[in-house]
Amino acid sequence: MSTTRTETGPLVDGATGKWEIVIGMEVHAQVLSKAKLFSGASAAFGAEPNAHVSFVDAAMPGMLPVINRYCVEQAVRTGLGLKAQINNVSVFDRKNYFYPDLPAGYQISQYKSPIVGEGEVIVDLPGGRAITVGIERLHLEQDAGKSLHDQHPHMSFVDLNRAGVALMEIVSRPDLRSSEEAAAYLRKLRAIVRYLGTCDGNMEEGSMRADVNVSVRKPGGPLGTRCEIKNVNSMRFVAQAVEYEARRQIDIIEAGGKIDQETRLFDAKKGETRSMRSKEEAHDYRYFPDPDLLPLELEDAWIEQIKKSLPELPDDKKARFMRDYGLNAYDAGVLVQERESAAYFEEVAKGRDGKLAANWVINELFGRLNKEGLEVGKSPVSADALGSIIAMIGDGTISGKIAKDVFEIAWEEGGDPKEIVEKRGLRQVTDTGAIEKAIDEVIAANPAKVEQVKAKPAMLGWFVGQVMQATGGKANPKAVNELLKRKLAL
Amino acid sequence: MSELTDLTIADARDGLKKKSFSARELADAHIKAIEKGRALNAFVTETPDLARKMALESDRRIAAGEARPLEGLPLGIKDLFCTKEVLTTAGSHILDGFKPPYESTVTRNLWDAGAVMLGKLNMDEFAMGSSNETSYYGPVTNPWRRKGANTKLVPGGSSGGSAAAVAARMVLGATGTDTGGSIRQPAAVTGIAGIKPTYGRCSRWGIVAFASSLDQAGPMARTVRDCAIMLKAMASHDPMDSTSVNVRVPDYERAMTGEVRGLRVGIPKEYRIDGMPAEIEALWQKGIQWLKDAGAQIVDVSLPHTKYALPAYYIVAPAEASSNLARYDGVRYGLRVPGKDIISMYENTRAAGFGREVQRRILIGTYVLSAGYYDAYYIKAQKLRTLIAQDFDQAFEKVDVLLTPTAPGPAFGIGEKTDDPISMYLNDVFTVTVNLAGLPGISVPAGLNNEGLPLGLQLIGKAFDESTLFRVGEVIERSAGPTPRPGTWWEV
């Protein structure tokens, strides 16, 4: 497998000099579908063991697989989202090995002829940098069941609920160069499939998991021997696994050793990778075309129809946000990470100050959601409510500071922000008479400060603070500033 | 009542319709014949209670004027078809006690057409064999014996129980499956008719898989017409089998006009193999003459890749089998022989559960699919398969049907070839080509040899042109004259 990336990436230090980490990923994404890939059984998560098992899933004698058309459509949709080649003809193969959670003794997968060919993903990195990661292929395959080793003193149990669930294996080129890039790639891939509605991206439930191929080399040198780290199931673990594995490999090479090609496991508790099996122990899967299934033939018209139904994807949405709302790349990137967040933002920003809306959504809303561990869809403050808060800032009804209080009240107690402002008398004081009165009182009470501010105009802030305090924060700060300057003759 | 068991399916159908006898009487006559014929070991499981219950329902329907196409006709089912709540063994120890919670599409079609199930028929283990000697349930004995001899002969295989049961008048007809000749070869050596339809004509859903790209179900009965009647009911497009084909199932009986004038019959020269017994050559010539006499035009054709068919078959079939049989692992159903860990449980179960021939084929199949050998064996075999199919395509530009012998010889003695797998595999030399190309092939009884043993002729047709095979087959059948009964020497 060759890398499509030409520029040298970030480097890490070793005892003998700089090293470059080379990473490729195979991401397994569970297809969002009601039924499994080759049987009508439910693909839902979280049922009682063996509640979703058809005769096909249990590999009963004489049972035959029948392809689920919707899963194929989902794979095509994903391929289109990855700007990839959709193959009009693809073939399902059998990957043969024995394991109790693999009832047929083979997994139906796609080997030589996958449904999706080459594509690319643009990954944004902090600092406005972006890299293009090549996609080598995407293929459809069945998930296996689950062995349960903790249910009985000397027996293992098998749960086949997952057996036969459709997975998309998305294989990247070794175009990633750091743990940060690897995590960012996975995050982007997750955003794309979630936008497309082809995978829920739920890593905790295992709907998305990554096999990470890591090797190290001297900058510009030939690719090193890689190790594959299996089944890493969070962005954080991907980053940890890469860091640990790269360091391990550098240490071995610098100590005069060599890397053995092998499959490794990531131990999330210890934050390290461990050898699982060597290349010599690798299975011979004896792939051959599944004679129970015909080659999958897709018509261009059908592919075209799916293409037309694609939603706006993160990259396009980001560009539009920058263009239409005047956002910077970073803010736009943050807002489009989740389809729901982007939609929330657009509702808030509709007919209002886009930049202000972006600030509020990113800082106040996301900050609060993160603190509470909530999804945007579960926000107690609706987009409509936040929009009306921002509108009130815009027309001077409330100050930015008061707006935060209103947001807090709306979050905790609910209610229409406009009513909150009215009922609690939070409307900003723009009546210059009332402000002047407060200013006069502050000036009269602090003659010493008045002298000082004449020498040092920066002390105006102190007066602003006093006036705001005196007006319960409701005075229009702009008006306070202007009036103070005039009265103090600054 | 014994004459009821001598009826053809067509005659029994008429008799039931005319109420000359009841379905219950017909079922009872066969149940009795099965009891008397146990020495042949044709059945793995007899289902007399089920048969009587189904027959009573048939009588009710006949009385109510609601008779279906196969109403009340008692049949036997090869034990490769899953039958709901009825033990299904595939002739193997490894499926001990397996009662499927589902019914295969083909048998479902038969029961929906009103047929009555007499039981499950013995067969070579997982349909791997040409003599029914690899069955865990013991060999089946052919009802035919050499003139003046008591040597027990094999009924062919793998549908040996089906063939023996039909020939011995224990069933009116039976289902078989044919992966490399498993319907046609046993039909030939027991003096009955049997057709392997075009691949995709019958659903494979619910049939224990041997080699998925070759397996096809078909009927075995005493006449060509009976096969036509059965196939009409068995065949269907099945959305549960992605390889089943959505084409109309014609009225095969209507196609049997007895007319073959002007029909072009191809004689493939490559089927004249080295060491072919003179009686087989003579039989072939007789068949050619019969069709010529009936007005058909005989055309010499060439199928140049024929000699590669058997080796290609013995790569493709074991390869698929090695994967298809991986599911018999002792985890979910059938036999389990415990072990100290999962690997030893697999090993113990599969060592005890599979017989030697099945193990041999799993090993061959695993070998040919292995890294480094796949291209040399499996890919090459697939290429040959394409060439063999092209041979047929080219031949069918010139002819309507091909005529060949079905098997290279008559029934042989039990135990005669068990130590020589290659000589056993040679039984399929005329039949495997048809499976590799996915075409229909029928074996028609064509008389007895000098020792009094039945021989068969094979007709090969274009894809989905079973109608022509039935039409031409009936002409050969008529020309050969009625096959005598094999006697009743086995009855107790």
Side-chain angles (χ1 to χ4, degrees):
Chain A
M1 200 189 302
S2 63
T3 174
T4 52
R5 188 162 164 186
T6 47
E7 81 277 21
T8 303
L11 303 175
V12 293
D13 289 320
T16 59
K18 300 274 187 195
W19 291 87
E20 185 174 38
I21 310 174
V22 177
I23 305 154
M25 288 218 257
E26 291 161 24
V27 174
H28 291 88
Q30 182 181 327
V31 175
L32 210 49
S33 156
K34 287 199 177 73
K36 296 182 179 182
L37 184 54
F38 295 112
S39 82
S42 166
F45 176 82
E48 286 294 303
N50 297 310
H52 298 323
V53 185
S54 74
F55 295 138
V56 174
D57 305 324
M60 302 293 279
M63 292 299 98
L64 299 171
V66 177
I67 186 78
N68 177 339
R69 184 192 173 93
Y70 184 68
C71 292
V72 173
E73 188 181 326
Q74 290 286 62
V76 170
R77 187 170 287 126
T78 307
L80 292 170
L82 300 173
K83 300 182 181 65
Q85 168 70 36
I86 307 299
N87 293 325
N88 293 87
V89 179
S90 65
V91 174
F92 286 102
D93 297 278
R94 292 186 183 177
K95 179 179 179 177
N96 296 282
Y97 64 95
F98 283 92
Y99 205 68
D101 63 20
L102 186 74
Y106 56 84
Q107 175 197 34
I108 304 176
S109 181
Q110 296 189 298
Y111 184 50
K112 286 187 180 159
S113 307
I115 185 166
V116 175
E118 293 193 357
E120 64 177 44
V121 172
I122 294 165
V123 179
D124 293 307
L125 298 162
R129 209 159 59 85
I131 52 166
T132 301
V133 178
I135 297 296
E136 188 182 270
R137 59 185 278 162
L138 174 155
H139 69 251
L140 278 168
E141 63 181 30
Q142 298 174 300
D143 203 351
K146 204 165 111 189
S147 295
L148 308 168
H149 301 295
D150 53 1
Q151 306 283 311
H152 188 276
H154 54 268
M155 304 279 269
S156 289
F157 290 179
V158 178
D159 175 10
L160 296 179
N161 281 349
R162 292 190 74 96
V165 165
L167 301 178
M168 296 178 283
E169 180 170 323
I170 304 167
V171 183
S172 86
R173 296 215 169 261
D175 286 349
L176 301 159
R177 295 288 179 271
S178 68
S179 58
E180 191 180 45
E181 290 185 4
Y185 165 73
L186 191 55
R187 195 173 295 121
K188 183 59 177 283
L189 203 55
R190 181 171 179 274
I192 292 171
V193 294
R194 283 171 55 84
Y195 264 69
L196 293 165
T198 57
C199 171
D200 67 17
N202 191 328
M203 299 193 76
E204 275 162 28
E205 289 177 4
S207 311
M208 236 182 135
R209 45 196 200 262
D211 297 343
V212 189
N213 287 293
V214 179
S215 64
V216 296
R217 65 173 175 186
K218 288 290 186 182
L223 289 173
T225 303
R226 68 193 155 91
C227 291
E228 182 183 16
I229 310 160
K230 279 284 187 198
N231 268 334
V232 190
N233 65 358
S234 83
M235 319 274 173
R236 195 161 57 88
F237 293 160
V238 164
Q240 279 180 15
V242 169
E243 291 286 339
Y244 179 90
E245 180 59 20
R247 183 53 58 193
R248 185 187 73 86
Q249 292 183 16
I250 291 169
D251 290 348
I252 289 174
I253 298 168
E254 291 191 328
K258 73 178 212 358
I259 305 302
D260 296 321
Q261 188 175 332
E262 61 180 358
T263 303
R264 299 179 68 83
L265 277 176
F266 178 67
D267 182 335
K269 276 191 198 115
K270 292 184 182 162
E272 60 186 40
T273 66
R274 266 204 314 275
S275 182
M276 191 169 133
R277 58 172 180 262
S278 70
K279 193 184 176 189
E280 288 69 34
E281 295 167 298
H283 297 291
D284 179 353
Y285 290 118
R286 291 171 282 122
Y287 282 101
F288 75 106
D290 191 329
D292 287 333
L293 292 161
L294 303 170
L296 190 60
E297 292 180 19
L298 308 180
E299 285 174 11
D300 285 333
W302 191 63
I303 297 169
E304 208 48 47
Q305 203 182 315
I306 297 170
K307 201 176 211 166
K308 284 198 187 113
S309 76
L310 287 191
E312 185 184 33
L313 289 170
D315 291 342
D316 295 331
K317 203 181 276 287
K318 181 182 163 192
R320 184 167 61 81
F321 281 7
M322 291 170 70
R323 195 175 63 234
D324 291 0
Y325 298 104
L327 306 187
N328 63 36
Y330 180 80
D331 285 356
V334 171
L335 286 171
V336 302
Q337 244 171 45
E338 299 280 349
R339 191 176 179 170
E340 295 77 9
S341 307
Y344 186 104
F345 162 75
E346 287 218 80
E347 213 180 319
V348 173
K350 203 164 46 191
R352 302 184 180 116
D353 180 344
K355 278 189 195 168
L356 186 62
N359 279 337
W360 269 82
V361 170
I362 293 169
N363 298 319
E364 302 307 319
L365 180 78
F366 288 179
R368 194 63 202 261
L369 288 171
N370 278 343
K371 205 168 120 191
E372 311 268 337
L374 289 177
E375 304 273 324
V376 72
K378 296 274 160 57
S379 168
V381 179
S382 69
D384 203 35
L386 183 55
S388 99
I389 293 176
I390 285 162
M392 287 190 285
I393 302 172
D395 66 15
T397 308
I398 54 174
S399 67
K401 187 169 175 300
I402 291 291
K404 287 184 187 176
D405 297 338
V406 175
F407 178 81
E408 185 62 24
I409 294 164
W411 182 284
E412 291 296 339
E413 300 167 27
D416 174 11
K418 277 185 188 147
E419 278 176 29
I420 293 171
V421 168
E422 291 308 326
K423 279 191 183 150
R424 306 199 182 209
L426 298 174
R427 187 176 270 278
Q428 186 164 253
V429 178
T430 42
D431 170 5
T432 45
I435 296 172
E436 276 185 77
K437 186 166 166 273
I439 288 175
D440 291 343
E441 283 167 16
V442 170
I443 289 176
N446 299 284
K449 298 275 184 199
V450 172
E451 287 310 310
Q452 287 166 4
V453 77
K454 289 193 167 155
K456 192 185 176 194
M459 273 194 61
L460 182 68
W462 182 86
F463 284 90
V464 174
Q466 292 298 308
V467 175
M468 293 307 284
Q469 204 175 355
T471 57
K474 289 181 284 181
N476 182 329
K478 204 173 146 213
V480 173
N481 261 292
E482 281 168 8
L483 287 170
L484 267 172
K485 279 184 191 164
R486 208 171 68 214
K487 297 223 175 222
L488 293 168
L490 293 175
Chain B
M1 290 284 249
S2 76
E3 71 275 10
L4 286 182
T5 59
D6 259 334
L7 294 172
T8 63
I9 287 175
D11 291 340
R13 183 178 59 181
D14 294 345
L16 285 166
K17 197 186 279 172
K18 288 187 205 137
K19 304 196 172 73
S20 309
F21 46 84
S22 69
R24 174 64 195 262
E25 286 167 327
L26 189 60
D28 280 337
H30 284 94
I31 290 166
K32 204 165 145 204
I34 291 167
E35 287 171 2
K36 286 163 84 175
R38 284 185 184 142
L40 296 180
N41 196 30
F43 280 79
V44 173
T45 305
E46 297 168 15
T47 57
D49 294 343
L50 186 58
R52 289 192 187 101
K53 199 176 132 204
M54 292 170 93
L56 285 178
E57 168 64 10
S58 288
D59 282 331
R60 188 194 67 75
R61 283 186 178 254
I62 291 166
E66 296 165 2
R68 297 161 292 180
L70 300 185
E71 198 66 70
L73 299 170
L75 305 175
I77 302 299
K78 186 178 185 181
D79 212 10
L80 202 63
F81 292 80
C82 289
T83 41
K84 193 168 183 175
E85 309 304 340
V86 175
L87 182 69
T88 298
T89 69
S92 182
H93 186 27
I94 209 155
L95 274 168
D96 265 12
F98 176 61
K99 290 182 179 173
Y102 46 87
E103 185 78 32
S104 81
T105 300
V106 164
T107 49
R108 170 91 282 142
N109 286 345
L110 288 171
W111 315 143
D112 285 349
V116 167
M117 177 158 91
L118 290 164
K120 302 298 289 291
L121 294 158
N122 204 343
M123 55 178 286
D124 277 302
E125 186 179 5
F126 283 103
M128 297 177 192
S130 305
S131 65
N132 214 112
E133 292 169 286
T134 70
S135 171
Y136 175 69
Y137 297 91
V140 175
T141 303
N142 193 329
W144 292 88
R145 293 193 293 192
R146 292 182 190 117
K147 250 185 294 186
N150 290 336
T151 314
K152 284 186 176 180
L153 304 180
V154 303
S158 67
S159 309
S162 301
V166 171
R169 274 69 178 164
M170 294 194 272
V171 297
L172 288 181
T175 63
T177 63
D178 190 317
T179 305
S182 282
I183 286 174
R184 291 160 289 159
Q185 182 257 12
V189 302
T190 56
I192 65 167
I195 183 168
K196 181 205 93 76
T198 310
Y199 185 78
R201 180 62 97 179
C202 290
S203 169
R204 292 185 297 112
W205 193 88
I207 301 173
V208 175
F210 161 15
S212 312
S213 73
L214 302 160
D215 295 344
Q216 184 62 205
M220 302 170 80
R222 290 190 289 271
T223 67
V224 172
R225 178 171 300 271
D226 286 0
C227 286
I229 293 169
M230 278 183 73
L231 182 60
K232 171 77 181 156
M234 290 165 70
S236 66
H237 170 242
D238 184 0
M240 302 292 277
D241 174 1
S242 309
T243 63
S244 110
V245 178
N246 194 2
V247 289
R248 201 177 63 85
V249 181
D251 184 343
Y252 296 124
E253 278 189 276
R254 184 170 293 176
M256 296 170 67
T257 57
E259 182 57 74
V260 295
R261 272 178 297 179
L263 187 90
R264 299 165 304 166
V265 178
I267 309 300
K269 63 172 192 240
E270 290 80 7
Y271 282 56
R272 192 160 285 116
I273 54 166
D274 288 345
M276 188 158 83
E279 65 184 18
I280 301 297
E281 175 63 37
L283 172 86
W284 198 4
Q285 290 309 321
K286 225 179 342 178
I288 291 168
Q289 195 55 50
W290 288 333
L291 290 178
K292 219 186 257 179
D293 293 348
Q297 184 193 337
I298 305 299
V299 182
D300 286 325
V301 296
S302 172
L303 301 169
H305 297 93
T306 299
K307 64 180 171 197
Y308 301 115
L310 208 54
Y313 174 84
Y314 275 97
I315 289 168
V316 173
E320 293 182 11
S322 72
S323 177
N324 282 334
L325 270 57
R327 67 189 57 201
Y328 307 104
D329 57 5
V331 173
R332 297 170 313 288
Y333 45 75
L335 184 73
R336 176 189 291 180
V337 181
K340 64 176 170 22
D341 57 18
I342 185 73
I343 299 292
S344 60
M345 189 279 273
Y346 286 155
E347 289 171 353
N348 295 346
T349 300
R350 291 167 68 84
F354 290 138
R356 289 185 63 80
E357 182 60 26
V358 171
Q359 290 182 5
R360 178 175 7 253
R361 297 203 197 187
I362 289 174
L363 287 173
I364 293 171
T366 304
Y367 179 83
V368 300
L369 289 177
S370 297
Y373 299 96
Y374 179 79
D375 289 348
Y377 292 103
Y378 187 79
I379 293 291
K380 194 164 263 181
Q382 291 294 359
K383 284 180 183 159
L384 285 168
R385 199 172 169 176
T386 305
L387 292 171
I388 287 161
Q390 283 171 358
D391 283 356
F392 280 112
D393 286 345
Q394 280 159 16
F396 283 125
E397 284 169 11
K398 289 183 233 147
V399 300
D400 303 300
V401 69
L402 297 164
L403 176 72
T404 77
T406 306
F412 46 89
I414 289 177
E416 255 174 44
K417 296 191 180 183
T418 39
D419 292 334
D420 184 358
I422 300 297
S423 126
M424 191 69 92
Y425 295 172
L426 279 171
N427 273 290
D428 299 331
V429 67
F430 299 135
T431 47
V432 287
T433 50
V434 170
N435 300 79
L436 289 168
L439 300 174
I442 192 169
S443 180
V444 181
L448 306 181
N449 73 357
N450 289 337
E451 297 174 303
L453 294 178
L455 299 171
L457 283 169
Q458 173 178 239
L459 292 162
I460 301 168
K462 296 174 188 171
F464 297 102
D465 189 19
E466 289 85 358
S467 293
T468 298
L469 298 189
F470 289 128
R471 177 159 59 100
V472 184
E474 194 185 40
V475 169
I476 291 176
E477 187 178 51
R478 199 189 309 139
S479 306
T483 311
R485 286 193 53 149
T488 52
W489 56 268
W490 63 85
E491 286 192 352
V492 286

